[in-house]
Amino acid sequence: MTDARWCIDTELNTRFPVYTRFNANDVLPDPITPLGASMAWIPHMLPGSSMGYAALGAVTAEESIDFAAWPFGAFCYGHLYVNVTMARLVGIRSGIGWAGIDAAFFGSHPGAPPHADSPSDINEEVSQRIADRTMWTLTATSFPDLEEETMLADSFREQRPDIARLSNAALVARARSMMPYQRLTWRGELIAGSQAAIGPAVVMSLLGGDSPVNVVDIIGPAGDVVSAAPSYALWDMSRLARADAGATALFDAGVDGVLAGLEGTSPELHDRFVAFIREFGYRGPSEWDLGADSWETRPELALSLLDRMRQLDDSAAPAVRRGESAERAERAFETVHSSLAGNDEAQATLRMAVDSARRVASWRELGKANCIKVLNESRVAMREFGRRLAADGHIAHPGQIFMALDEELDLIVLEPGALTERLASREVEWKDLGNVVLPLFLQAGAPMTPLADLPRKSAADIVVAASGDVLTGTPASSGVATGRARVILNPGEIAAFEPGDVLIAPQTDPSWTPLFVVASAVVVGVGALSSHAMIVSRELGIPCVAGLEGASERIPDGAMVEVNGSTGTVTLL
């Protein structure tokens, strides 16, 4: 690849110049497909998320809208970068400071460019709106905007036409018709996501520096996290599979063909799984990319998770571990609450902050789910289009349709074989992007290394940890567990993962959640206080260390490790 940029790369915003892969890695860990960028992200998701900052009240409408370079994020080297400066501005105007925002959302990093002060950073009117939003975050028990978005996102699935009967032109029209709603669903996602750190921050201020209780100990599970719901549903199905000899034989032979086999041997389990896909099929690995498989388009991904769960006995039930996590959190709360005896205001603030942390964590996951539900409606239509093109020999496989740009789809509809060679060539380039070592930070106006000159992962020097080493990340979910480290780079490739193993991953998204049930602990390379891995680990009651940079490269696959989720350490035994 010799070009300085890739075909979907966008401009950086000069008003908000600092960008990072931190947090973006938690959203889109892999290079985005050209169709995912050109149909969804660039025209709709970047504007929706940028305007979400104005809906939050953290910036003015004028600051949030820039048609040339939407400030929320950008695509460089085929990967998503999120804007640091805009998030820092929220911290400055709220009184937290930009360094506090870095610590909460990106993880403080010595390579981060410092904030360049601007006279426009100070805006008293906006600061008052942020203060009002903070009070809302700490006290509100309902989120009407999010409820509206959930209703709409669910209705799109319920009202889906018979995709198989649509013409190719209608499939493209259906896919495109969903995308403008991303401008709406990102409202709730951005507001809830940005406010997820408020409750924990208040708790930390009450704990003090010498408290024996960690903030993750006291927050505990939220109790209503939509991304954890598939895990509970899969667990219930795994009990059926474990007790059914016919289902056991099918799974023992491999997940390919299991669904068809269940219809004859285990109709109840078959029907439960079909209902599961209808309800949760929008989830999947790298689910923020239109071109990624979902559980609906590739049910084997969910069947593999079910296969892992059926090997566990009843003592590993997620409800049991969640109950234990809730009890630990309650004990931690009582410890801190008692230490504040005589200060009624502080005790009341503690209760309010803990309740807010749990409630907003749940809202954040629901906001994400709404965005993904809408995206999946477009995905299903384009997968059917790709299936037809592949069946007729116009592309190599159905997924290759996502190598097209949105503006190329009309030509493909009219002349299905017009871009066969172009899409195949572009797929080779796209796959090569996954081997690029990306800069963690970019800055508008600063020189950018041409894509062709970036180092490759295969040539990177990685210092692998040895026995006795203690690696330190961020405490994410309390508890201590020991097990065999299993490095998993893709939740669709879990054949080697055994119950009780420690999941080591570069990052996780909600499709990984059922694997958390099988794991004794989780270690992820990215993630700050309100990341997905933290929220779900607390919900399912397992120890978690997040933000351990390079975890999947530094921790050897198969090594015995001890994970302490309260201290944020991983010890190689």
Side-chain angles (χ1 to χ4, degrees):
M1 190 179 297
T2 58
D3 293 339
R5 296 160 55 86
W6 203 47
C7 62
I8 54 83
D9 284 357
T10 60
E11 299 297 327
L12 302 182
N13 188 290
T14 55
R15 167 66 181 87
F16 305 99
V18 180
Y19 291 75
T20 185
R21 274 293 289 165
F22 283 116
N23 231 17
N25 204 6
D26 210 17
V27 177
L28 284 172
D30 303 315
I32 192 169
T33 56
L35 192 59
S38 60
M39 178 185 279
W41 274 89
I42 295 173
H44 298 294
M45 297 170 85
L46 290 182
S49 51
S50 298
M51 291 185 292
Y53 271 105
L56 172 68
V59 301
T60 66
E62 291 76 12
E63 287 172 327
S64 73
I65 297 175
D66 187 329
F67 298 105
W70 290 94
F72 171 82
F75 287 99
C76 300
Y77 311 117
H79 290 75
L80 175 68
Y81 279 76
V82 296
N83 194 290
V84 177
T85 308
M86 202 172 195
R88 286 173 169 176
L89 191 59
V90 178
I92 293 169
R93 291 174 174 177
S94 65
I96 297 173
W98 65 266
I101 289 292
D102 278 17
F105 290 100
F106 308 115
S108 298
H109 194 280
H115 179 71
D117 293 331
S118 168
S120 62
D121 287 353
I122 306 303
N123 185 316
E124 296 300 330
E125 181 180 346
V126 172
S127 292
Q128 183 58 53
R129 289 206 301 265
I130 294 176
D132 294 341
R133 177 65 74 176
T134 298
M135 183 54 62
W136 172 86
T137 299
L138 291 170
T139 59
T141 57
S142 65
F143 191 172
D145 290 349
L146 192 60
E147 293 167 8
E148 178 183 56
E149 293 156 21
T150 303
M151 178 272 293
L152 286 169
D154 288 342
S155 72
F156 297 142
R157 174 62 183 88
E158 294 165 1
Q159 299 166 11
R160 179 192 298 175
D162 186 349
I163 295 295
R165 299 182 63 181
L166 296 182
S167 66
N168 289 346
L171 288 172
V172 172
R174 165 72 179 178
R176 286 171 170 165
S177 72
M178 293 291 101
M179 290 299 98
Y181 286 95
Q182 291 290 355
R183 294 183 178 229
L184 179 67
T185 55
W186 269 89
R187 173 184 60 177
E189 202 286 334
L190 195 286
I191 291 173
S194 65
Q195 297 298 281
I198 297 296
V202 174
V203 173
M204 283 191 287
S205 70
L206 293 170
L207 291 178
D210 57 352
S211 174
V213 176
N214 191 294
V215 64
V216 299
D217 297 330
I218 195 171
I219 291 175
D224 184 24
V225 174
V226 67
S227 54
S231 298
Y232 293 108
L234 281 170
W235 177 262
D236 290 342
M237 285 189 287
S238 77
R239 300 306 88 192
L240 287 176
R242 186 176 174 86
D244 187 314
T248 297
L250 287 170
F251 277 107
D252 286 346
V255 296
D256 291 337
V258 163
L259 187 56
L262 288 175
E263 189 170 11
T265 62
S266 308
E268 181 184 358
L269 182 55
H270 174 272
D271 292 348
R272 289 272 292 274
F273 186 79
V274 170
F276 171 87
I277 291 297
R278 181 176 177 84
E279 184 175 1
F280 300 113
Y282 61 92
R283 308 250 73 139
S286 298
E287 59 191 9
W288 289 96
D289 186 0
L290 183 67
D293 275 304
S294 64
W295 292 343
E296 180 173 9
T297 62
R298 191 180 166 197
E300 292 78 12
L301 293 169
L303 286 168
S304 294
L305 295 165
L306 179 55
D307 180 42
R308 298 293 93 183
M309 281 194 193
R310 72 182 177 90
Q311 300 175 36
L312 298 169
D313 60 37
D314 292 349
S315 64
V320 173
R321 291 202 286 190
R322 183 192 171 281
E324 294 170 349
S325 178
E327 290 177 3
R328 286 196 299 270
E330 189 58 33
R331 289 195 298 270
F333 178 87
E334 290 301 327
T335 297
V336 177
H337 190 268
S338 297
S339 71
L340 299 173
N343 189 336
D344 294 344
E345 182 180 357
Q347 288 183 326
T349 300
L350 177 68
R351 179 75 273 172
M352 178 175 64
V354 170
D355 289 346
S356 172
R358 295 171 180 173
R359 187 169 55 247
V360 179
S362 177
W363 288 346
R364 184 187 191 194
E365 294 299 293
L366 181 56
K368 289 180 179 180
N370 291 336
C371 296
I372 301 305
K373 288 176 184 177
V374 174
L375 195 67
N376 190 59
E377 290 306 300
S378 296
R379 175 186 292 123
V380 169
M382 292 311 303
R383 281 277 168 188
E384 174 61 17
F385 186 27
R387 185 195 66 76
R388 296 176 188 178
L389 292 173
D392 292 338
H394 298 302
I395 57 177
H397 58 88
Q400 206 170 66
I401 186 60
F402 297 99
M403 294 300 108
L405 298 172
D406 182 48
E407 58 264 30
E408 296 170 338
L409 292 178
D410 299 300
L411 175 59
I412 297 174
V413 168
L414 295 171
E415 297 183 31
L419 300 181
T420 300
E421 293 183 4
R422 182 184 299 180
L423 299 187
S425 175
R426 194 176 283 159
E427 185 176 34
V428 173
E429 296 179 355
W430 174 72
K431 289 181 177 178
D432 184 59
L433 290 172
N435 192 38
V436 169
V437 178
L438 299 168
L440 291 177
F441 295 93
L442 295 174
Q443 194 158 4
M448 283 183 60
T449 304
L451 176 57
D453 295 340
L454 289 177
R456 293 304 194 256
K457 292 177 182 177
S458 54
D461 293 327
I462 303 295
V463 178
V464 178
S467 177
D469 286 352
V470 179
L471 308 180
T472 302
T474 302
S477 179
S478 62
V480 179
T482 300
R484 179 181 60 170
R486 276 301 180 209
V487 177
I488 303 293
L489 304 180
N490 186 318
E493 302 169 356
I494 60 171
F497 199 90
E498 299 293 339
D501 286 351
V502 174
L503 172 61
I504 312 292
Q507 73 289 313
T508 65
D509 57 39
S511 71
W512 294 70
T513 301
L515 199 54
F516 286 30
V517 176
V518 184
S520 60
V522 175
V523 179
V524 290
V526 299
L529 190 59
S530 55
S531 68
H532 162 77
M534 285 192 173
I535 293 171
V536 175
S537 294
R538 293 195 296 265
E539 190 65 22
L540 297 177
I542 62 172
C544 177
V545 172
L548 203 167
E549 189 174 344
S552 55
E553 292 88 16
R554 296 167 64 191
I555 300 175
D557 186 62
M560 291 299 295
V561 296
E562 179 186 86
V563 179
N564 190 321
S566 297
T567 62
T569 57
V570 179
T571 304
L572 275 78
L573 305 178

